[in-house]
Amino acid sequence: MVPIVFQPGLPDRERRLARDCIESVLRAVDPKRALLAHLKHLPKDKPTHVLAFGKASIAMTDGAIEHLGDRFARATVLAPEPLVLEAQFKSKFVALYPCDHPLPTQRNIDATRELIEHARSIPDDHRVIVLISGGASAMLCAPKPRVTLGEIRQTTQDMLKRGAPIEEINSVRSQLDTLKHGGLAHELRQVDDRFVFLLSDVIGDDPSVIASGPMHDAHPPTTPHVIIASNDTALDALAAWCARNEISSPHITRRVVGEVSDAARMLAVQLTASEESPPVAFMLGGEPTVNASGTHGIGGPVLQLGLTTALNLADSPFDWSVLTLTTDGMDGPSQTAGTILTASMLAAPDTRQAIRESLERNDTRTMCDTLGTTIITGPTGTNVNDVAIAIRWPDTTASTPDAASNT
């Protein structure tokens, strides 16, 4: 489990709540464990190659090697640099390349070239397993003829800045990159025996959209695609946490997209309108976005979601807590995993005004640091988008149940 770092001033009760929820989510979407559960019935009757790319590629490759045993032939893995520096594979037949995200760099192109060479070299009587996870569209980068790296970077940056949905971003990437929309499948055309396992960072879990569908080679695809975990997995883990802590059957809004402000308003309204006896929780999961065009603050959608929800709840006549989390540990340029906020933190009118101003500037990291609510994990090695939970507490209890410290 990755280390979870809180700011010194955060009260113990909020630490326990955040730690328990985050650990529950990350345990549920652990890439190695999720992959091994789906590899149980994969035959081990021939040499098998692994091609892996994305934020969870190291853990997924580790699981594949463990499953394959002496049938493992060779792996090429593209992963974030911080995770590459910590990786330790027992097999010498793993070629591991650090890559950048969300904007591709020349080393992404160089690493992709090595992966293509591996793909082309696989004998036709061997098997190949392709492991795909969030961030793969940027890491797997092979520009089309006459398309420059600079064009891809600028186009991607412009879309990210204005909060374009991932479907739009990946559609544009497919027009610039040879490996998108079945391009990698074409490089593996000599191999009939191939499987694709995906840790989904796309709402709806459409294999043709995840990483721009590099193995999605036909309609219907001839290569089996298996989703091993998704945002639903994370939400279900939060729901189980609520049940263990005797918090009223949680209400879950899944597949949330669009503006963060809309998602925050919905979450606050649901909590305020609830007629159930507290404690009661409302949750959402998905990929809400922020249009940060014209601003230069340091922040991301998850911090924006937490602060905006809290601001919407500031005048509520009950005790509440809001926790937001990005499962990869990297909320855009803020480099944070999320934030936890409570009613008492927004009691002062000056604080509320400061939050409003930070939201206008998209400078939410600075605001969360000031409040002492920033949560840092570093790269988690997984990625199934974002989750948020808002809890309404009984008036006679503290903001975190005692049970939360015993999970």
Side-chain angles (χ1 to χ4, degrees), residues 35-102:
L35 180 63
L36 283 170
H38 286 82
L39 287 179
K40 289 179 179 178
H41 305 295
L42 185 73
K44 293 183 281 187
D45 55 343
K46 63 177 68 174
T48 301
H49 297 249
V50 175
L51 302 177
F53 37 95
K55 296 179 181 179
S57 59
I58 290 176
M60 293 173 76
T61 299
D62 193 33
I65 293 173
E66 180 176 313
H67 170 78
L68 293 169
D70 62 4
R71 295 284 82 189
F72 169 64
R74 178 185 167 199
T76 298
V77 184
L78 280 55
E81 182 174 37
L83 298 177
V84 169
L85 295 175
E86 297 177 357
Q88 294 182 336
F89 286 106
K90 295 179 180 179
S91 174
K92 64 181 180 180
F93 298 107
V94 179
L96 185 56
Y97 297 95
C99 292
D100 299 295
H101 177 272

Side-chain angles (χ1 to χ4, degrees), residues 27-351:
R27 192 178 301 113
V29 297
D30 177 80
K32 179 178 178 179
R33 187 169 70 171
L35 180 63
L36 283 170
H38 286 82
L39 287 179
K40 289 179 179 178
H41 305 295
L42 185 73
K44 293 183 281 187
D45 55 343
K46 63 177 68 174
T48 301
H49 297 249
V50 175
L51 302 177
F53 37 95
K55 296 179 181 179
S57 59
I58 290 176
M60 293 173 76
T61 299
D62 193 33
I65 293 173
E66 180 176 313
H67 170 78
L68 293 169
D70 62 4
R71 295 284 82 189
F72 169 64
R74 178 185 167 199
T76 298
V77 184
L78 280 55
E81 182 174 37
L83 298 177
V84 169
L85 295 175
E86 297 177 357
Q88 294 182 336
F89 286 106
K90 295 179 180 179
S91 174
K92 64 181 180 180
F93 298 107
V94 179
L96 185 56
Y97 297 95
C99 292
D100 299 295
H101 177 272
L103 301 180
T105 59
Q106 184 59 46
R107 68 176 177 178
N108 293 30
I109 294 175
D110 295 339
T112 299
R113 190 176 297 117
E114 296 296 330
L115 186 139
I116 291 173
E117 288 302 314
H118 182 179
R120 292 172 175 172
S121 71
I122 298 174
D124 59 9
D125 59 344
H126 286 201
R127 177 179 292 125
V128 62
I129 296 175
V130 181
L131 307 176
I132 302 174
S133 53
S137 284
M139 295 182 198
L140 194 71
C141 185
K144 289 184 176 180
R146 294 181 294 280
V147 173
T148 67
L149 174 61
E151 288 177 79
I152 295 177
R153 285 175 58 86
Q154 187 62 56
T155 301
T156 304
Q157 187 172 39
D158 291 345
M159 290 188 292
L160 290 172
K161 189 74 172 176
R162 64 177 173 81
I166 190 63
E167 291 83 2
E168 178 185 342
I169 295 172
N170 284 355
S171 176
V172 172
R173 281 169 167 161
S174 299
Q175 300 171 34
L176 305 173
D177 193 302
T178 63
L179 294 188
K180 308 302 192 267
H181 279 325
L184 182 57
H186 180 73
E187 300 292 350
L188 286 164
R189 57 190 178 278
Q190 80 281 9
V191 183
D192 291 328
D193 195 350
R194 55 198 193 190
F195 295 84
V196 181
F197 296 91
L198 309 101
L199 187 77
S200 176
D201 70 329
V202 168
I203 304 309
D205 304 332
D206 184 346
S208 70
V209 177
I210 300 171
S212 307
M215 290 294 295
H216 209 265
D217 56 338
H219 302 282
T222 57
T223 305
H225 284 61
V226 179
I227 304 292
I228 64 170
S230 67
N231 192 250
D232 283 341
T233 313
L235 287 170
D236 292 343
L238 271 184
W241 177 87
C242 288
R244 291 196 301 271
N245 287 284
E246 299 181 348
I247 296 173
S248 265
S249 53
H251 304 268
I252 305 175
T253 303
R254 302 177 188 267
R255 303 185 178 186
V256 174
V257 294
E259 284 288 332
V260 157
S261 56
D262 295 332
R265 188 179 305 109
M266 176 189 66
L267 195 59
V269 167
Q270 289 176 329
L271 196 68
T272 302
S274 175
E275 297 181 355
E276 294 185 55
S277 298
V280 60
F282 286 80
M283 301 184 298
L284 63 80
E287 193 174 30
T289 55
V290 174
N291 187 341
S293 299
T295 61
H296 302 284
I298 300 174
V302 163
L303 297 188
Q304 193 101 354
L305 177 60
L307 288 171
T308 307
T309 303
L311 202 57
N312 278 303
L313 290 170
D315 293 322
S316 300
F318 53 82
D319 190 18
W320 52 264
S321 298
V322 172
L323 170 69
T324 60
L325 172 71
T326 183
T327 55
D328 67 355
M330 295 284 108
D331 185 30
S334 74
Q335 299 294 292
T336 63
T339 185
I340 181 165
L341 298 130
T342 63
S344 61
M345 295 175 183
L346 273 72
D350 289 350
T351 300

